[in-house]
Amino acid sequence: MKLIFNYNQSNTNHTPQENDVDLPEELKRGSLPLNDVNEIQIIRHYTELSRKNYGIDTNFYPLGSCTMKYNPRVNEDIAKLPGFSNIHPHTPANHAQGALEVIWELEEILKEITGMDAFSLQPAAGSQSELLGVMIAKKYFAEKNETRTKIIIPDSAHGTNPATAAMCKFQTVTIPTDKRGNMDIDEFKKAIGKDIAVVMITNPNTLGLYEENLSEIKNIAKENGALMYCDGANMNALLGISKPADQGFDMIHLNLHKTFSTPHGGGGPGGGSLGVKLFLEDYLPIPRIKKENEKFVFDSNKEKSVGKLHSFYGNFGIIVRALTYIKSWGVDIQKISQIAVLNANYLFCLLKDDFDVPYDRRCAHEFVISAKNFGEKSTINIAKRIIDYGFHAPTIYFPLIVKEALMIEPTETESKETLDEYAKVLKTIIKELQEEPELVKNAPHTTPGRLDEVKAARKLNLRWIPNES
Ligand SMILES: *Cc1c(COP(=O)(O)O)cnc(C)c1O
């Protein structure tokens, strides 16, 4: 069924007016074919479109590094409460005590989870939290009159790490990964010096492995006066188990939309957060929320603050959802990570004999395997073929240091049956690769065609009709 309609029917006979915007010719709409459609046809059209979408509510979505966990409906119920959903951002603090308490309480809980002394929930995403952290580092060293121009980042890091360094006009010093999947400690020792502002480390790293030399790295960084920054996007492996502040980090960001189950994908909105040790607290963005005599107040009187990062106090709806998720687990919060790590190791064990394993260690909440033994481009073909079996592909070709990488993160919200099924599908595809390679190379067969995944995202063609080109 093809539908073209216009909500405002009177517009179809529109005669040009003097103050009409002068649109370029190619953007002008000629006569508008208005098919007669009734309500149920419209409903069916949009329901049909909605079914073409793939999301965590339709099936398993094991994108490594993205923590695509289930978004519990209780989060939505709480976020929908009128007091939260209808509150105006300009409501004065004394009329918004409940909302301020929610922000304050989540900050308190994140302090407890990470061991940090202060948190800001203003950043809209992990990447913006990194930006905030590096802006803070820049200001901190400027005030100490120290000229530090470089940031150390391992080569397994997420692309946002070096991008952040560049945005703040720091130079990135890339450290290679050693045979066990850790940042190479000898190379790190060669790179560290008084010109290093920040050592930025992801723990567990993007290979899904805990950094084994962290305490040595921290000691050396401290001796050289550098700040330790933790990219905490992988906190799903550590909740209630280990505190990044105890591991020697001065700052950490958490992605609320990964670790704490708020929905994400398709560009947001998400939620970031930055936690810092006491000596960096005054640099956090204003306003800060303070509890004074059992009341919550805004404090913008912070001379050292880097300023404002986001309108108002961040993405409030995401903050409510994250707090709900944490509270629904309560004191059992460590179970989130225990199950996430167990699920990843279980699936890893099911698959490790079928694929090349670049780093054969017990993994954290995700793992990386390689399809390089099946030839070049086999990973993209496997990923396309997974679609035919009704599943979403894992993250592929990341981290960049692993050839033909598949990066799988099942999260704590998946059942053993789902993991078994996914392993079975991957094993089947490998068998197909050997017996019927063309079947895999031309996949997927159950969609209108084989899209170029980069072009499909960058050059959106909503008028594309299957089999026409
Ligand atoms: C997702 C991720 C980021 C970036 O976070 P966004 O919220 O997507 O901006 C940074 N580092 C790592 C390791 C990540 O997985």
Side-chain angles (χ1 to χ4, degrees):
M1 175 172 52
K2 266 195 204 168
L3 278 182
I4 306 169
F5 51 81
N6 188 340
Y7 286 107
N8 189 352
Q9 300 211 4
S10 62
N11 254 353
T12 52
N13 296 322
H14 179 79
T15 38
Q17 304 289 321
E18 211 178 290
N19 54 356
D20 270 4
V21 182
D22 200 11
L23 282 174
E25 212 46 56
E26 69 273 18
L27 293 181
K28 280 190 187 153
R29 192 160 58 183
S31 68
L32 190 66
L34 191 66
N35 296 2
D36 244 344
V37 289
N38 62 21
E39 187 172 327
I40 183 94
Q41 285 176 295
I42 293 172
I43 293 289
R44 284 179 187 150
H45 173 68
Y46 282 108
T47 305
E48 175 68 22
L49 285 184
S50 77
R51 284 201 201 144
K52 291 191 194 305
N53 202 4
Y54 189 101
I56 193 67
D57 290 348
T58 42
N59 216 338
F60 190 39
Y61 209 138
L63 278 188
S65 200
C66 297
T67 316
M68 307 299 284
K69 59 174 75 170
Y70 168 62
N71 319 125
R73 288 304 174 271
V74 63
N75 296 357
E76 302 306 311
D77 293 342
I78 301 296
K80 254 191 302 201
L81 290 174
F84 291 141
S85 58
N86 294 342
I87 189 166
H88 194 282
H90 279 301
T91 308
N94 57 344
H95 290 298
Q97 288 292 298
L100 296 200
E101 182 168 3
V102 164
I103 301 172
W104 179 85
E105 189 172 359
L106 183 57
E107 287 182 5
E108 289 300 300
I109 290 174
L110 298 185
K111 278 158 64 176
E112 177 65 27
I113 286 173
T114 59
M116 292 294 164
D117 297 312
F119 253 89
S120 169
L121 305 182
Q122 237 185 68
S127 43
Q128 205 186 23
S129 317
E130 289 171 32
L131 180 68
L132 173 59
V134 174
M135 281 162 65
I136 287 177
K138 188 145 201 159
K139 193 149 193 213
Y140 169 75
F141 286 118
E143 283 180 1
K144 286 177 61 161
N145 279 326
E146 289 182 31
T147 313
R148 291 175 183 260
T149 54
K150 296 175 182 167
I151 295 187
I152 285 182
I153 299 173
D155 64 356
S156 60
H158 197 273
T160 50
N161 294 189
T164 299
M167 277 189 78
C168 295
K169 302 206 160 44
F170 282 102
Q171 199 185 320
T172 296
V173 181
T174 308
I175 309 293
T177 297
D178 71 12
K179 286 202 180 73
R180 282 186 61 75
N182 297 311
M183 179 169 82
D184 191 307
I185 186 85
D186 295 323
E187 293 299 321
F188 169 71
K189 286 177 186 166
K190 282 186 216 159
I192 191 82
K194 303 284 185 214
D195 55 346
I196 302 294
V198 181
V199 178
M200 195 178 233
I201 292 189
T202 309
N203 189 44
N205 64 28
T206 64
L207 296 162
L209 303 171
Y210 296 104
E211 278 292 341
E212 292 172 309
N213 305 315
L214 209 47
S215 82
E216 196 182 351
I217 292 168
K218 171 209 54 174
N219 290 338
I220 299 170
K222 293 274 143 88
E223 280 162 23
N224 285 275
L227 294 174
M228 288 281 289
Y229 184 97
C230 182
D231 177 333
N234 292 338
M235 195 67 197
N236 218 42
L238 297 176
L239 289 175
I241 297 169
S242 172
K243 298 185 180 187
D246 298 342
Q247 298 160 6
F249 288 106
D250 302 306
M251 294 189 257
I252 182 173
H253 84 250
L254 303 179
N255 308 52
L256 304 185
H257 50 270
K258 291 179 180 172
T259 311
F260 302 118
S261 84
T262 74
H264 65 295
S273 63
L274 186 80
V276 297
K277 291 260 176 77
L278 198 58
F279 71 101
L280 295 173
E281 178 175 11
D282 287 344
Y283 296 92
L284 287 174
I286 45 170
R288 307 273 306 129
I289 291 172
K290 267 198 326 198
K291 192 175 181 183
E292 252 175 23
N293 309 324
E294 296 307 305
K295 282 198 78 179
F296 298 94
V297 294
F298 290 130
D299 184 4
S300 291
N301 194 13
K302 295 272 178 197
E303 241 170 61
K304 283 189 178 172
S305 167
V306 295
K308 219 152 162 32
L309 203 72
H310 191 286
S311 53
F312 303 104
Y313 328 103
N315 285 332
F316 181 64
I318 300 294
I319 293 171
V320 176
R321 287 171 174 86
L323 182 63
T324 307
Y325 190 65
I326 292 172
K327 289 205 152 196
S328 60
W329 283 85
V331 292
D332 285 333
I333 196 162
Q334 84 283 358
K335 281 197 185 145
I336 295 177
S337 291
Q338 286 170 344
I339 301 168
V341 171
L342 178 66
N343 273 358
N345 277 284
Y346 177 71
L347 190 52
F348 179 47
C349 287
L350 292 182
L351 293 171
K352 61 191 275 193
D353 295 335
D354 298 280
F355 287 84
D356 179 73
V357 176
Y359 306 97
D360 195 0
R361 274 166 59 183
R362 189 171 294 179
C363 66
H365 66 309
E366 64 189 352
F367 61 92
V368 177
I369 51 179
S370 162
K372 69 172 190 199
N373 294 344
F374 307 112
E376 221 172 285
K377 293 209 177 146
S378 38
T379 290
I380 182 75
N381 294 335
I382 292 170
K384 296 277 190 197
R385 182 66 176 145
I386 290 173
I387 299 171
D388 287 334
Y389 290 96
F391 280 120
H392 201 283
T395 294
I396 55 173
Y397 298 102
F398 183 80
L400 305 175
I401 54 174
V402 175
K403 280 207 179 103
E404 298 294 324
L406 291 104
M407 185 195 203
I408 305 181
E409 180 180 5
T411 83
E412 73 279 9
T413 55
E414 296 298 334
S415 67
K416 178 177 174 296
E417 287 72 19
T418 303
L419 305 183
D420 287 337
E421 193 59 34
Y422 203 69
K424 211 167 94 192
V425 164
L426 281 168
K427 283 168 191 280
T428 305
I429 296 173
I430 283 170
K431 221 162 140 216
E432 290 173 347
L433 264 176
Q434 281 139 4
E435 292 166 5
E436 285 176 276
E438 291 305 311
L439 192 63
V440 182
K441 274 188 194 153
N442 299 321
H445 305 277
T446 52
T447 62
R450 180 173 165 124
L451 292 182
D452 178 315
E453 56 290 334
V454 179
K455 266 201 210 141
R458 302 231 166 118
K459 286 189 135 184
L460 205 58
N461 180 2
L462 295 176
R463 292 175 194 280
W464 183 66
I465 297 169
N467 308 325
E468 264 205 353
S469 69

